[in-house]
Amino acid sequence: MQLHGRIARIPECVEVGDFCLQGFIEGRTLGSGPLRSRTLSPRHTGQLGQLFRELVAIKSDELETVERRCEPQDRLPDGDTTGFLHRLIHFTEDRFYSGHVTQYGTLFDELGVCGAQLDGLRCQSEQLTDRPFTLIHGDLHRHNFIVDSAGDLWTIDWELAVIGDPLYELATHLHLMRYPEREEVRIAKLWQAEVESVLPGSSLNWEQDLPILLAYKRAQSAFTDIIRTALALGPGPEPNWRILPRAAWKLQRVLAAAQEPLALRSVPTLQQVLSAYANWFRSSAARSAP
């Protein structure tokens, strides 16, 4: 299914033989230069609201002919928001913890994070309200919004798009954008009004369910950012000492945000995070030494 024509400001894709070429949008990301404000202008607020409307207007049954990665028997029934979150939790545990525990297990251990800590979120997901599934971009952060020369907001990088709970779109957006509290409330209410105007019921019980999905996003970030930080500090045998303090500070904030969702007994101090990476690099170098 072509999204061009359904989403107002999206790069056009052209098929050339076996390849699909995406058009280039000239401009700046919303997260660069003078555009780095933590609040949205009225113009961009309106265009974000339009994007929310356009996304929920594309319902799951319209996407039946789209090539999908999962097998038909693995596809969830429309509206199964609990099953949707269960799949996300399993993906996080399997891909980012179990799939990397051989390489990063000692680092996870020293930072007090393990896959079993996601079980609490699985229990909370049983409380979710069913909502009709729609198209979800899944990665609406500042660097995936391009502001062109006319000041219009374009949405790029659709490779994480999925079919699922539309409230997950809002949770992901709020988590990634790091709005101030008042702006977060304003954008959440904007989302609710916009999606209900197109698909009644798509925001059902959103105020009760949003904290659960936000908790998942904070927990997910703990797993992904532990690995990303190690990669950013590499390749070793010592971490990049110049960037380690800031990287450790950022990760310490991520772990603090994940303390409640993951039921962490304590949040590592900045010094403990620094030591964990220094120790991991040294032990990795020792294991790989001839």
Side-chain angles (χ1 to χ4, degrees), residues 75-92:
R75 296 173 191 172
L76 295 169
D78 184 33
D80 183 5
T81 56
T82 292
F84 181 71
L85 183 53
H86 278 183
R87 296 285 178 87
L88 292 172
I89 293 170
H90 174 76
F91 178 82
T92 298

Side-chain angles (χ1 to χ4, degrees), residues 16-285:
V16 180
D18 295 331
F19 297 94
C20 184
L21 303 179
Q22 180 175 284
F24 175 73
I25 304 300
E26 186 172 354
R28 285 184 166 186
T29 68
L30 195 59
S32 65
L35 300 172
R36 293 182 64 182
S37 170
R38 295 183 67 203
T39 60
L40 296 183
S41 68
R43 181 188 187 98
H44 293 158
T45 298
Q47 292 178 344
L48 177 64
Q50 179 182 3
L51 176 63
F52 288 150
R53 291 196 309 273
E54 291 168 341
L55 284 163
V56 298
I58 302 173
K59 305 174 188 64
S60 59
D61 60 358
E62 295 183 68
L63 300 166
E64 290 302 320
T65 60
V66 175
E67 182 179 352
R68 294 163 68 174
R69 297 176 185 175
C70 60
E71 296 297 325
Q73 64 269 21
D74 294 328
R75 296 173 191 172
L76 295 169
D78 184 33
D80 183 5
T81 56
T82 292
F84 181 71
L85 183 53
H86 278 183
R87 296 285 178 87
L88 292 172
I89 293 170
H90 174 76
F91 178 82
T92 298
E93 183 177 28
D94 184 62
R95 178 68 63 88
F96 295 106
Y97 182 74
S98 300
H100 290 89
V101 73
T102 301
Q103 184 174 3
Y104 298 104
T106 57
L107 185 56
F108 279 117
D109 289 344
E110 194 162 348
L111 294 171
V113 174
C114 71
Q117 291 164 326
L118 291 165
D119 288 344
L121 285 170
R122 286 191 179 91
C123 293
Q124 290 184 56
S125 70
E126 301 295 337
Q127 306 169 27
L128 292 176
T129 301
D130 288 351
R131 283 174 289 273
F133 283 0
T134 64
L135 181 65
I136 301 168
H137 178 281
D139 203 22
L140 293 178
H141 57 73
R142 284 181 169 82
H143 294 290
N144 279 341
F145 288 118
I146 301 294
V147 180
D148 67 14
S149 58
D152 288 326
L153 206 61
W154 292 72
T155 308
I156 62 172
D157 290 352
W158 290 78
E159 64 268 20
L160 296 182
V162 295
I163 300 166
D165 182 1
L167 186 59
Y168 180 68
E169 186 83 90
L170 175 63
T172 301
H173 179 67
L174 296 180
H175 175 74
L176 295 174
M177 292 291 283
R178 299 290 194 271
Y179 291 121
E181 184 176 353
R182 287 183 63 183
E183 182 75 348
E184 183 173 289
V185 170
R186 185 177 76 90
I187 296 299
K189 290 181 177 178
L190 168 76
W191 174 87
Q192 192 275 335
E194 298 291 357
V195 300
E196 280 297 321
S197 71
V198 174
L199 182 60
S202 56
S203 70
L204 191 62
N205 283 341
W206 72 276
E207 291 177 295
Q208 291 75 27
D209 290 354
L210 180 60
I212 298 173
L213 293 173
L214 285 172
Y216 164 70
K217 295 304 298 183
R218 292 193 292 270
Q220 178 195 43
S221 288
F223 290 92
T224 58
D225 286 16
I226 285 172
I227 296 172
R228 286 172 181 162
T229 301
L231 293 172
L233 293 171
E238 295 282 334
N240 184 328
W241 295 106
R242 182 179 62 83
I243 66 173
L244 177 57
R246 178 164 177 79
W249 173 78
K250 290 174 68 175
L251 182 64
Q252 202 268 344
R253 293 181 65 193
V254 169
L255 293 172
Q259 181 177 17
E260 184 176 347
L262 291 178
L264 301 179
R265 285 178 292 182
S266 62
V267 177
T269 65
L270 180 59
Q271 185 58 50
Q272 287 171 329
V273 176
L274 290 166
S275 296
Y277 279 95
N279 293 340
W280 179 79
F281 270 94
R282 288 166 185 154
S283 64
S284 295

